[in-house]
């Protein structure tokens, strides 16, 4: 089923590594083996340089910020060159009002730090527990995402100009439309004369509100993974 595949695109946290942890030597060796047969592409929610550093500077091109950034690996320098970096306008006052309305509606009135996190790209995070919440509180708030998925549709409707994702264990992440991973991967294909059939995507966040969901529900080939430790087994057929 993978005979036509030219590109392996993948998520990072939860797919290839544990959340925000460095690439392991074992998984680095597997990526190296895959790179001998396929073009590898990282498709991330975060900034390109953060992803590149987490990958311990593995030689790979990286889509960041849901397609608002693109980094191309420079083999001569052993670094990554940012070749696209889109910054969207952000109406901070209006966003703050909408988040305050949601906090009032659902009782999320106590939080530590700021009520909203604004990113340089124009992306926004609604940290339900605040920007300075304790790590243990964030991890225990909604680890299975059930609480946030109950109100997900309301958040989506409230922020109709954004693609909304259920992020981590206690937040909602938002990227200005049309930026999501499907849009980014489709654009990559158009710019590189690839059909969707020539790409396979590997990701763990494919449930309701997950940032891989848009690719999972599309016509791209998709390999699901639920534990990054299973990555070697998941890609066996590709090797």
């Amino acid at each position: 089923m993978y005979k036509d595949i030219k590109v392996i695109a993948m998520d990072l946290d939860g797919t290839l590594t544990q959340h925000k942890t460095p690439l392991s030597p074992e998984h680095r060796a597997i990526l190296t083996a895959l790179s001998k047969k396929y073009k590898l592409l990282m498709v991330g929610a975060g900034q390109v340089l953060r992803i590149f550093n987490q990958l311990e500077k593995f030689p790979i091109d990286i889509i960041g910020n849901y397609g608002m950034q693109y980094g191309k690996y420079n083999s001569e320098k052993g670094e990554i060159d940012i070749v696209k970096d889109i910054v969207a306008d952000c109406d901070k006052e209006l966003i703050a009002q909408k988040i305050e309305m949601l906090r009032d509606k659902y009782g999320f009135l106590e939080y530590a730090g700021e009520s909203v996190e604004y990113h340089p790209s124009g992306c926004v995070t609604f940290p339900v527990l605040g920007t300075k919440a304790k790590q243990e509180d964030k991890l225990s708030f909604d680890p299975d995402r059930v609480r946030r998925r109950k109100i997900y549709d309301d958040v989506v409707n409230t922020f109709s100009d954004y693609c909304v994702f259920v992020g981590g264990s206690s937040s909602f992440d938002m990227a200005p439309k049309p930026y999501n991973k499907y849009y980014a991967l489709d654009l990559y294909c158009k710019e590189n004369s690839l059909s969707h059939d020539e790409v396979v995507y590997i990701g763990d966040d494919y449930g309701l509100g997950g940032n891989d969901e848009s690719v999972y529900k599309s016509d791209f080939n998709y390999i699901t993974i639920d534990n990054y430790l299973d990555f070697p087994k998941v890609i066996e057929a590709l090797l």
Side-chain angles (χ1 to χ4, degrees):
M1 65 179 292
Y2 299 125
K3 63 182 179 66
D4 296 325
I5 298 299
K6 294 180 180 179
V7 175
I8 298 177
M10 67 198 88
D11 173 52
L12 180 57
D13 288 341
T15 296
L16 191 59
T17 67
Q18 194 171 24
H19 186 64
K20 292 188 177 179
T21 59
L23 181 69
S24 70
E26 180 188 16
H27 286 181
R28 187 182 187 91
I30 292 168
L31 288 184
T32 300
L34 286 171
S35 69
K36 298 182 187 306
K37 293 185 64 176
Y38 309 96
K39 170 73 175 179
L40 302 185
L41 178 69
M42 187 62 57
V43 187
Q47 293 185 330
V48 165
L49 287 178
R50 183 194 70 76
I51 295 169
F52 185 59
N53 289 329
Q54 187 177 340
L55 286 167
E56 306 273 283
K57 298 189 174 183
F58 183 85
I60 191 172
D61 291 351
I62 301 171
I63 293 173
N65 292 342
Y66 302 104
M68 299 178 75
Q69 267 194 341
Y70 181 63
K72 196 167 183 61
Y73 184 74
N74 186 322
S75 57
E76 291 184 1
K77 298 189 299 183
E79 296 290 343
I80 197 156
D81 295 328
I82 305 297
V83 297
K84 179 169 73 173
D85 192 5
I86 295 171
V87 176
D89 291 333
C90 180
D91 188 336
K92 294 182 179 181
E93 184 177 348
L94 180 59
I95 287 169
Q97 289 173 358
K98 289 182 175 182
I99 287 181
E100 184 177 356
M101 180 194 70
L102 289 169
R103 287 191 179 280
D104 288 341
K105 186 173 182 178
Y106 294 105
F108 300 138
L109 301 177
E110 295 185 8
Y111 55 89
E114 300 297 324
S115 178
V116 192
E117 183 177 0
Y118 303 101
H119 301 280
S121 61
C123 293
V124 177
T125 295
F126 170 19
V128 177
L129 302 181
T131 56
K132 294 186 177 180
K134 294 178 180 178
Q135 184 68 6
E136 57 266 30
D137 292 338
K138 292 194 289 186
L139 291 173
S140 64
F141 175 74
D142 187 27
D144 56 7
R145 306 189 177 193
V146 170
R147 294 179 70 179
R148 284 168 296 155
R149 282 175 174 158
K150 285 181 179 178
I151 66 170
Y152 176 71
D153 287 344
D154 197 5
V155 179
V156 168
N157 291 332
T158 301
F159 290 95
S160 57
D161 292 338
Y162 288 81
C163 295
V164 180
F165 314 101
V166 179
S169 56
S170 62
S171 64
F172 292 95
D173 296 325
M174 296 177 279
K177 285 183 176 177
Y179 294 102
N180 61 28
K181 289 189 177 181
Y182 171 81
Y183 176 84
L185 198 52
D186 178 60
L187 182 61
Y188 178 87
C189 287
K190 290 173 180 174
E191 292 176 343
N192 292 276
S193 301
L194 292 163
S195 71
H196 289 193
D197 291 339
E198 294 174 311
V199 178
V200 61
Y201 184 87
I202 308 170
D204 70 306
D205 199 6
Y206 53 88
L208 178 67
N211 65 36
D212 298 322
E213 183 191 17
S214 61
V215 184
Y216 177 70
K217 294 173 73 173
S218 75
D219 61 336
F220 278 108
N221 300 291
Y222 193 106
I223 298 175
T224 62
I225 182 169
D226 297 308
N227 186 328
Y228 77 99
L229 294 174
D230 294 333
F231 190 79
K233 182 167 54 180
V234 161
I235 58 88
E236 278 181 351
L238 289 163
L239 286 173

